[in-house]
PDB file of all heavy atoms in Angstrom:
ATOM      1  N   PHE A   7       2.482  29.996   5.657  1.00 30.00           N
ATOM      2  CA  PHE A   7       1.279  29.182   5.696  1.00 30.00           C
ATOM      3  C   PHE A   7       1.212  28.448   7.024  1.00 30.00           C
ATOM      4  O   PHE A   7       2.207  28.274   7.713  1.00 30.00           O
ATOM      5  CB  PHE A   7       1.216  28.180   4.535  1.00 30.00           C
ATOM      6  CG  PHE A   7       2.179  27.055   4.656  1.00 30.00           C
ATOM      7  CD1 PHE A   7       1.763  25.800   5.104  1.00 30.00           C
ATOM      8  CD2 PHE A   7       3.520  27.214   4.327  1.00 30.00           C
ATOM      9  CE1 PHE A   7       2.646  24.756   5.209  1.00 30.00           C
ATOM     10  CE2 PHE A   7       4.411  26.185   4.442  1.00 30.00           C
ATOM     11  CZ  PHE A   7       3.964  24.947   4.875  1.00 30.00           C
ATOM     12  N   TYR A  32     -21.230  13.463   5.825  1.00 93.00           N
ATOM     13  CA  TYR A  32     -21.926  12.785   4.733  1.00 93.00           C
ATOM     14  C   TYR A  32     -22.297  13.778   3.635  1.00 93.00           C
ATOM     15  O   TYR A  32     -22.448  14.978   3.880  1.00 93.00           O
ATOM     16  CB  TYR A  32     -23.181  12.064   5.247  1.00 93.00           C
ATOM     17  CG  TYR A  32     -24.136  12.923   6.050  1.00 93.00           C
ATOM     18  CD1 TYR A  32     -25.120  13.700   5.425  1.00 93.00           C
ATOM     19  CD2 TYR A  32     -24.069  12.956   7.444  1.00 93.00           C
ATOM     20  CE1 TYR A  32     -25.997  14.473   6.168  1.00 93.00           C
ATOM     21  CE2 TYR A  32     -24.939  13.729   8.187  1.00 93.00           C
ATOM     22  CZ  TYR A  32     -25.908  14.491   7.541  1.00 93.00           C
ATOM     23  OH  TYR A  32     -26.776  15.273   8.278  1.00 93.00           O
ATOM     24  N   GLN A  34     -25.066  13.192   1.703  1.00 93.00           N
ATOM     25  CA  GLN A  34     -26.516  13.211   1.880  1.00 93.00           C
ATOM     26  C   GLN A  34     -26.870  12.302   3.048  1.00 93.00           C
ATOM     27  O   GLN A  34     -26.208  11.293   3.282  1.00 93.00           O
ATOM     28  CB  GLN A  34     -27.239  12.708   0.635  1.00 93.00           C
ATOM     29  CG  GLN A  34     -27.009  13.491  -0.631  1.00 93.00           C
ATOM     30  CD  GLN A  34     -27.764  12.866  -1.792  1.00 93.00           C
ATOM     31  OE1 GLN A  34     -28.993  12.862  -1.821  1.00 93.00           O
ATOM     32  NE2 GLN A  34     -27.030  12.337  -2.739  1.00 93.00           N
ATOM     33  N   ASP A  40     -27.699   0.101   1.507  1.00 97.00           N
ATOM     34  CA  ASP A  40     -26.665   0.132   0.467  1.00 97.00           C
ATOM     35  C   ASP A  40     -26.253   1.567   0.111  1.00 97.00           C
ATOM     36  O   ASP A  40     -26.098   1.897  -1.052  1.00 97.00           O
ATOM     37  CB  ASP A  40     -27.156  -0.619  -0.782  1.00 97.00           C
ATOM     38  CG  ASP A  40     -26.058  -0.848  -1.799  1.00 97.00           C
ATOM     39  OD1 ASP A  40     -24.870  -0.765  -1.424  1.00 97.00           O
ATOM     40  OD2 ASP A  40     -26.386  -1.105  -2.981  1.00 97.00           O
ATOM     41  N   GLY A  69     -31.961   4.756  10.628  1.00 96.00           N
ATOM     42  CA  GLY A  69     -31.779   5.764  11.660  1.00 96.00           C
ATOM     43  C   GLY A  69     -30.853   5.288  12.759  1.00 96.00           C
ATOM     44  O   GLY A  69     -30.345   4.171  12.754  1.00 96.00           O
ATOM     45  N   LYS A  81     -21.488   4.837  19.063  1.00 94.00           N
ATOM     46  CA  LYS A  81     -20.406   4.894  20.035  1.00 94.00           C
ATOM     47  C   LYS A  81     -19.819   6.292  20.082  1.00 94.00           C
ATOM     48  O   LYS A  81     -19.423   6.798  21.134  1.00 94.00           O
ATOM     49  CB  LYS A  81     -19.315   3.878  19.666  1.00 94.00           C
ATOM     50  CG  LYS A  81     -18.035   3.983  20.491  1.00 94.00           C
ATOM     51  CD  LYS A  81     -18.287   3.675  21.949  1.00 94.00           C
ATOM     52  CE  LYS A  81     -16.998   3.791  22.758  1.00 94.00           C
ATOM     53  NZ  LYS A  81     -17.232   3.560  24.202  1.00 94.00           N
ATOM     54  N   SER A  96     -26.972 -17.372   1.366  1.00 90.00           N
ATOM     55  CA  SER A  96     -26.041 -17.438   0.233  1.00 90.00           C
ATOM     56  C   SER A  96     -25.231 -18.726   0.196  1.00 90.00           C
ATOM     57  O   SER A  96     -24.462 -18.952  -0.736  1.00 90.00           O
ATOM     58  CB  SER A  96     -25.077 -16.253   0.286  1.00 90.00           C
ATOM     59  OG  SER A  96     -24.200 -16.377   1.389  1.00 90.00           O
ATOM     60  N   ARG A 102     -19.925 -11.907   1.722  1.00 98.00           N
ATOM     61  CA  ARG A 102     -19.353 -10.988   2.694  1.00 98.00           C
ATOM     62  C   ARG A 102     -19.617  -9.558   2.242  1.00 98.00           C
ATOM     63  O   ARG A 102     -19.699  -9.268   1.046  1.00 98.00           O
ATOM     64  CB  ARG A 102     -17.833 -11.175   2.818  1.00 98.00           C
ATOM     65  CG  ARG A 102     -17.388 -12.561   3.232  1.00 98.00           C
ATOM     66  CD  ARG A 102     -17.698 -12.849   4.691  1.00 98.00           C
ATOM     67  NE  ARG A 102     -17.178 -14.129   5.118  1.00 98.00           N
ATOM     68  CZ  ARG A 102     -17.853 -15.288   5.036  1.00 98.00           C
ATOM     69  NH1 ARG A 102     -19.094 -15.297   4.523  1.00 98.00           N
ATOM     70  NH2 ARG A 102     -17.308 -16.417   5.463  1.00 98.00           N
ATOM     71  N   SER A 130     -31.595  -7.700  15.302  1.00 90.00           N
ATOM     72  CA  SER A 130     -32.884  -7.950  14.658  1.00 90.00           C
ATOM     73  C   SER A 130     -32.994  -9.423  14.273  1.00 90.00           C
ATOM     74  O   SER A 130     -32.035 -10.187  14.384  1.00 90.00           O
ATOM     75  CB  SER A 130     -33.029  -7.088  13.404  1.00 90.00           C
ATOM     76  OG  SER A 130     -32.212  -7.589  12.365  1.00 90.00           O
ATOM     77  N   GLY A 141     -12.350  -8.185  11.416  1.00 98.00           N
ATOM     78  CA  GLY A 141     -11.027  -7.593  11.415  1.00 98.00           C
ATOM     79  C   GLY A 141     -10.777  -6.550  10.353  1.00 98.00           C
ATOM     80  O   GLY A 141     -11.705  -6.019   9.724  1.00 98.00           O
ATOM     81  N   ASN A 159      -8.851 -15.700   3.458  1.00 98.00           N
ATOM     82  CA  ASN A 159      -8.363 -16.251   4.725  1.00 98.00           C
ATOM     83  C   ASN A 159      -7.115 -15.565   5.252  1.00 98.00           C
ATOM     84  O   ASN A 159      -6.214 -16.203   5.796  1.00 98.00           O
ATOM     85  CB  ASN A 159      -8.133 -17.760   4.605  1.00 98.00           C
ATOM     86  CG  ASN A 159      -9.397 -18.496   4.223  1.00 98.00           C
ATOM     87  OD1 ASN A 159     -10.477 -18.175   4.710  1.00 98.00           O
ATOM     88  ND2 ASN A 159      -9.268 -19.484   3.347  1.00 98.00           N
ATOM     89  N   GLU A 171     -21.841  -9.609  21.760  1.00 95.00           N
ATOM     90  CA  GLU A 171     -22.351  -8.403  22.401  1.00 95.00           C
ATOM     91  C   GLU A 171     -23.216  -7.570  21.443  1.00 95.00           C
ATOM     92  O   GLU A 171     -22.782  -7.219  20.349  1.00 95.00           O
ATOM     93  CB  GLU A 171     -21.199  -7.549  22.914  1.00 95.00           C
ATOM     94  CG  GLU A 171     -21.634  -6.311  23.675  1.00 95.00           C
ATOM     95  CD  GLU A 171     -22.469  -6.645  24.884  1.00 95.00           C
ATOM     96  OE1 GLU A 171     -21.954  -7.351  25.781  1.00 95.00           O
ATOM     97  OE2 GLU A 171     -23.643  -6.210  24.920  1.00 95.00           O
ATOM     98  N   TYR A 215     -22.464  -3.588  13.587  1.00 98.00           N
ATOM     99  CA  TYR A 215     -22.286  -2.140  13.483  1.00 98.00           C
ATOM    100  C   TYR A 215     -20.808  -1.815  13.701  1.00 98.00           C
ATOM    101  O   TYR A 215     -20.116  -2.499  14.465  1.00 98.00           O
ATOM    102  CB  TYR A 215     -23.107  -1.413  14.536  1.00 98.00           C
ATOM    103  CG  TYR A 215     -24.598  -1.618  14.463  1.00 98.00           C
ATOM    104  CD1 TYR A 215     -25.299  -2.166  15.537  1.00 98.00           C
ATOM    105  CD2 TYR A 215     -25.321  -1.236  13.330  1.00 98.00           C
ATOM    106  CE1 TYR A 215     -26.672  -2.334  15.491  1.00 98.00           C
ATOM    107  CE2 TYR A 215     -26.688  -1.406  13.274  1.00 98.00           C
ATOM    108  CZ  TYR A 215     -27.374  -1.957  14.353  1.00 98.00           C
ATOM    109  OH  TYR A 215     -28.724  -2.127  14.303  1.00 98.00           O
ATOM    110  N   VAL A 219     -13.282   4.299  14.046  1.00 97.00           N
ATOM    111  CA  VAL A 219     -12.159   3.550  13.474  1.00 97.00           C
ATOM    112  C   VAL A 219     -10.891   4.394  13.589  1.00 97.00           C
ATOM    113  O   VAL A 219     -10.912   5.595  13.320  1.00 97.00           O
ATOM    114  CB  VAL A 219     -12.422   3.218  11.994  1.00 97.00           C
ATOM    115  CG1 VAL A 219     -11.303   2.348  11.432  1.00 97.00           C
ATOM    116  CG2 VAL A 219     -13.777   2.542  11.833  1.00 97.00           C
ATOM    117  N   VAL A 264       9.223  21.063  18.933  1.00 86.00           N
ATOM    118  CA  VAL A 264       9.475  21.294  17.516  1.00 86.00           C
ATOM    119  C   VAL A 264      10.351  20.158  16.997  1.00 86.00           C
ATOM    120  O   VAL A 264      11.377  19.832  17.600  1.00 86.00           O
ATOM    121  CB  VAL A 264      10.172  22.648  17.274  1.00 86.00           C
ATOM    122  CG1 VAL A 264      10.423  22.862  15.787  1.00 86.00           C
ATOM    123  CG2 VAL A 264       9.339  23.791  17.848  1.00 86.00           C
ATOM    124  N   LYS A 270      13.636  14.384  14.649  1.00 78.00           N
ATOM    125  CA  LYS A 270      14.434  14.762  15.814  1.00 78.00           C
ATOM    126  C   LYS A 270      13.843  15.993  16.470  1.00 78.00           C
ATOM    127  O   LYS A 270      13.553  16.993  15.815  1.00 78.00           O
ATOM    128  CB  LYS A 270      15.884  15.041  15.398  1.00 78.00           C
ATOM    129  CG  LYS A 270      16.783  15.427  16.574  1.00 78.00           C
ATOM    130  CD  LYS A 270      18.206  15.710  16.118  1.00 78.00           C
ATOM    131  CE  LYS A 270      19.087  16.114  17.291  1.00 78.00           C
ATOM    132  NZ  LYS A 270      20.470  16.422  16.866  1.00 78.00           N
ATOM    133  N   PRO A 303      -0.280  17.615  14.684  1.00 63.00           N
ATOM    134  CA  PRO A 303       0.993  18.262  14.342  1.00 63.00           C
ATOM    135  C   PRO A 303       0.749  19.404  13.369  1.00 63.00           C
ATOM    136  O   PRO A 303      -0.104  19.317  12.494  1.00 63.00           O
ATOM    137  CB  PRO A 303       1.796  17.137  13.685  1.00 63.00           C
ATOM    138  CG  PRO A 303       0.778  16.188  13.174  1.00 63.00           C
ATOM    139  CD  PRO A 303      -0.354  16.248  14.152  1.00 63.00           C
ATOM    140  N   ILE A 308      10.173  27.782   8.534  1.00 77.00           N
ATOM    141  CA  ILE A 308      10.945  28.806   9.229  1.00 77.00           C
ATOM    142  C   ILE A 308      12.040  29.291   8.296  1.00 77.00           C
ATOM    143  O   ILE A 308      12.822  28.496   7.777  1.00 77.00           O
ATOM    144  CB  ILE A 308      11.554  28.246  10.533  1.00 77.00           C
ATOM    145  CG1 ILE A 308      10.447  27.900  11.525  1.00 77.00           C
ATOM    146  CG2 ILE A 308      12.529  29.261  11.156  1.00 77.00           C
ATOM    147  CD1 ILE A 308      10.957  27.260  12.804  1.00 77.00           C
TER     148      ILE A 308
END
Side-chain angles (χ1 to χ4, degrees):
F7 72 101
Y32 53 86
Q34 299 179 67
D40 190 19
K81 171 64 180 177
S96 69
R102 301 288 185 271
S130 74
N159 301 320
E171 184 60 61
Y215 299 121
V219 184
V264 180
K270 181 181 179 181
I308 294 176

